[in-house]
Amino acid sequence: MEHRRATLPPKPVSLDGVSKAIIEQLQHDGRRSYAEIGKAVGLSEAAVRQRVQKLTESGVMQIVAVTDPMQLGFYRQAMIGVRVSGDTRVVADRLAAMPSVDYVVLTAGNFDILAEVVCENDDELIDLLNSEIRTLDGVSSTETFVYLRLHKQLYDWGTR
């Protein structure tokens, strides 16, 4: 994967009030119909469908099902702090390619990368750490923060 040298974040997409309102409607209920959203924001069903398609195609939003990992048999979740010697982006790309890793972010501070993992059990987590993550070229150390309970997880922060 090619990496840009720019240090500035990508320029945010300019959204009008109607598009923001559509996003907020979907954040509250991703199954809400286009007709219902249209009534709430003052557009036709077809116009809402078109805007949602543009928002998803442009990468501004995704419409996904958020699950409870424990109810699906994934009883061990953890955040892994990774210290890297070398290019953090290369290690981040390799972590992101792992099926058990669902979140990867480059950070500043004690860790270069934070990676969230979802595993079926502790044995799978131990194997992931020892056989996959710690063996990656460039990984100098890791620290694992095991989740005891998910206390809050929301995706309705709005569009500000």
Side-chain angles (χ1 to χ4, degrees):
M1 175 177 274
E2 185 177 313
H3 300 284
R4 296 183 300 158
R5 296 279 180 214
T7 57
L8 298 174
K11 186 176 180 182
V13 175
S14 179
L15 300 176
D16 65 10
V18 175
S19 290
K20 288 179 179 182
I22 290 170
I23 291 169
E24 290 171 359
Q25 290 284 313
L26 289 168
Q27 283 180 325
H28 288 290
D29 181 359
R31 298 180 306 163
R32 188 167 284 159
S33 73
Y34 293 139
E36 288 178 291
I37 295 169
K39 287 178 187 173
V41 302
L43 290 179
S44 69
E45 179 180 349
V48 170
R49 180 180 293 107
Q50 184 178 43
R51 286 207 187 211
V52 168
Q53 183 176 351
K54 285 182 182 178
L55 290 166
T56 55
E57 287 175 355
S58 68
V60 168
M61 72 173 189
Q62 297 175 358
I63 299 173
V64 299
V66 178
T67 60
D68 178 348
M70 297 222 19
Q71 292 194 38
L72 296 175
F74 296 99
Y75 297 106
R76 180 51 69 218
Q77 289 178 269
M79 183 66 69
I80 302 171
V82 181
R83 290 184 184 92
V84 175
S85 60
D87 193 333
T88 57
R89 298 166 298 182
V90 172
V91 174
D93 288 342
R94 291 184 180 136
L95 288 167
M98 294 178 182
S100 296
V101 176
D102 66 2
Y103 176 84
V104 177
V105 61
L106 297 170
T107 63
N110 284 330
F111 301 103
D112 299 303
I113 299 171
L114 293 175
E116 184 179 62
V117 299
V118 179
C119 299
E120 288 183 24
N121 52 47
D122 288 338
D123 288 336
E124 185 180 322
L125 175 60
I126 291 167
D127 188 54
L128 176 68
L129 285 165
N130 289 323
S131 300
E132 295 185 55
I133 295 175
R134 290 180 179 147
T135 61
L136 287 176
D137 285 340
V139 171
S140 58
S141 69
T142 65
E143 186 173 341
T144 303
F145 302 90
V146 173
Y147 297 178
L148 299 176
R149 178 177 39 156
L150 180 62
H151 197 71
K152 180 178 180 180
Q153 181 178 24
L154 295 176
Y155 297 97
D156 61 352
W157 54 81
T159 56
R160 296 187 179 105

